[in-house]
Amino acid sequence: MDILESRIDVEGEEFLANREAMLALVTELRGELERARNERSEKARARHVRQGKLPVQERLESLLDPGTPFLEIAPLAAKGMYDSKVHAAGIRGGIGVVEGREVLVIATDAMVKGGSMYPMSVKKSIRLQQIAMENRLPVINMIDSGGAYLPLQAEVFPDADDGGQVFYNQAHMSAMGIPQIAAVMGLCTAGAAYIPAMSDHVVHVKGTGAIFLGGPPLVKAATGEIVDQETLGGADLHCRQSGVSDYSAEDDYDAIRRIRALVRRLPPSPKQVPHTRAPREPIYAPEEIYGIVPARLSVPYDVREVLARILDGSELLEFKPLFGPTLVCGWAHIHGYPVGVVGNNGVLFSESALKATQFIQLCDREGVPLVFFQNISGFMIGKDYEAGGITKHGHKMVAAVSLTRVPKFTVIIGGSFGAGNYAMCGRAYKPRMLWMWPNARISVMGGEQAADVLVTVKNEQLAREGQPPLTAEIESAMKEPVIRMIEGESDPWHSTANLWDDGIVDPAKTRDLLGLAISASWNQPLAERAPWGVFRM
Ligand code: COA
């Protein structure tokens, strides 16, 4: 393998200015993550502790094997939405290690509106389940939830991808042989009652845990029956009488001990990792990425400088380096796992798309996962390129990205615009994980371009009607709100709040996150062959 040689002056003015800009973003990110984890109202915290329950952070820490990493998913989901206090969409979740086994953990946070489910909570639950299904990970659910967030019931209940899909997925996971262990750690009402009910194993905490379709107030209102929560749905009732729960636990710690015992007896994972190597740190420090990535997206830079700070030993065996040079493809290792890397070094041309398609086929044949580093303004446009069949060649890349059987991972390290997002494995192409760097931007096109398109369309319409074109004043009045809207919507904070990604990540940590995600992906054995369709030639 070739060692990538950096040409960056780490003491140069440009490096230091970029570094300062990225560090400001990373500091902001750390602050937001801290708020999402710990900012809760005194009232909610006091209520939780009074009830004798552990806060969700402590539940997670007690569950996960000491000293093991937790790959948290979408920790800033719902940021700035609702009353700006629905931190992490009311659910903490991610891939962690329990009893040495990689598992998917989902924990509702009762300190966020009683753990009730907002639209983004439902979306996050479904995303977490998708991760469990794609990577074949056992699911551990720690539930403490008041069910649907009633003021927004129309947005969480009726549609195909609303709350019902959570239970639909649970039935399918059961059929797929994915073990599901639920711990009832609070009052699980209505929809939340189905989460344990649909699981394979149910641990139920005495006194604080309850399962009922309607809580005591609803029962009283509906039938006049007066009943306390323990009698209606407590551990004793469900472990001795109804059989809804399997194991009674004294408190949260006891429940976690029982979960661990259940994980210990699971049949082993079919995990098989082909040809790993001993992991090696890159030669260049990952923190140097801060100074490499320009503060402005429009400033070009060599993606190999980023790769040199992410790949094991800074080594890359580049595929077709002289052909389609605006796309860097090559073989490398990350934390010892073999990967095929695809990184943008400019606009996509027909040659770059063809090169990527061939590279994806090779990785697919050898069972090597693909990692996409997206910084793309789109495919090249213009008469000559259309005549050269750029749409046809782009199709081949998009089809190969869609159909390959190997796990894919995407990191948006800069711009993610137009069809470039598709070809470079955007969210719709089902990468196992998709992360954004804090400097990234995502939209169908830039705000200025979109505003120009709209003005051009309007002027052509006016010309057809025999009217004069828009005045400069009207033109700028028309453009300004479009630019403002697209800039707001393409911001990574907006993306992560909406769960268009699995989180905004510190560029210097990208390598470690990729290592964890690739490791987890191997729990799902590869399909025998890719279901290739017809490539337009
Ligand atoms: N929708 C909207 N808000 C809800 C909610 C729901 N389903 N469940 C709880 N909340 C809110 C409460 O209004 C309260 O808000 P506040 O802190 O702003 O006052 C907060 O969550 C905590 O609720 P509280 O009742 O004070 O806490 P608790 O620990 O004593 O009880 C529940 C928690 C979930 C058991 C209880 O709130 C409850 O029974 N909720 C209704 C459950 C239900 O019937 N859901 C039907 C969904 S289909």
Side-chain angles (χ1 to χ4, degrees), residues 344 348 372-379 397-398 401-402 410-412 414-431 434-436 441-445 495 500-501:
N344 299 113
L348 285 164
F372 293 83
F373 292 91
Q374 260 199 35
N375 178 22
I376 181 67
S377 54
F379 280 89
M397 182 173 175
V398 172
V401 167
S402 304
T410 302
V411 190
I412 303 182
S416 175
F417 298 108
N421 165 290
Y422 302 160
M424 289 295 293
C425 200
R427 191 66 148 177
Y429 296 84
K430 310 262 183 298
L434 183 147
W435 294 296
M436 287 192 111
R441 292 289 180 276
I442 181 165
S443 56
V444 71
M445 60 178 81
S495 166
W500 297 345
D501 56 57

Side-chain angles (χ1 to χ4, degrees), residues 43 47 51 53 110 113-114 116 145-151 187 189-191 215 217-218:
K43 182 179 152 200
R47 184 177 57 229
Q51 290 169 342
K53 300 190 291 190
K113 278 282 175 196
S116 57
S145 164
Y149 178 70
L150 291 170
L187 307 184
T189 316
L218 182 62

Side-chain angles (χ1 to χ4, degrees), residues 41 43-44 47-48 50-51 53 110-118 144-153 157 186-192 212-218 229:
S41 75
K43 182 179 152 200
R47 184 177 57 229
H48 199 83
R50 200 173 52 239
Q51 290 169 342
K53 300 190 291 190
M111 282 197 269
V112 178
K113 278 282 175 196
S116 57
M117 303 291 276
Y118 286 71
D144 188 349
S145 164
Y149 178 70
L150 291 170
L152 296 179
Q153 66 83 26
F157 177 64
L187 307 184
C188 300
T189 316
F212 26 62
L213 293 186
L218 182 62
Q229 62 193 45

Side-chain angles (χ1 to χ4, degrees), residues 120 131 133 140 144 146 171 173 183 206 244 249 279 313 315 336 341 353 406-407 409 413 430 439 448 461 468 508 525:
M120 276 299 146
I131 292 170
M133 289 189 271
I140 296 174
D144 188 349
M173 282 193 275
K206 274 194 214 165
V244 172
E315 284 179 358
V341 170
V406 296
F409 304 87
I413 65 173
K430 310 262 183 298
N439 59 304
E448 281 281 352
Q461 213 178 53

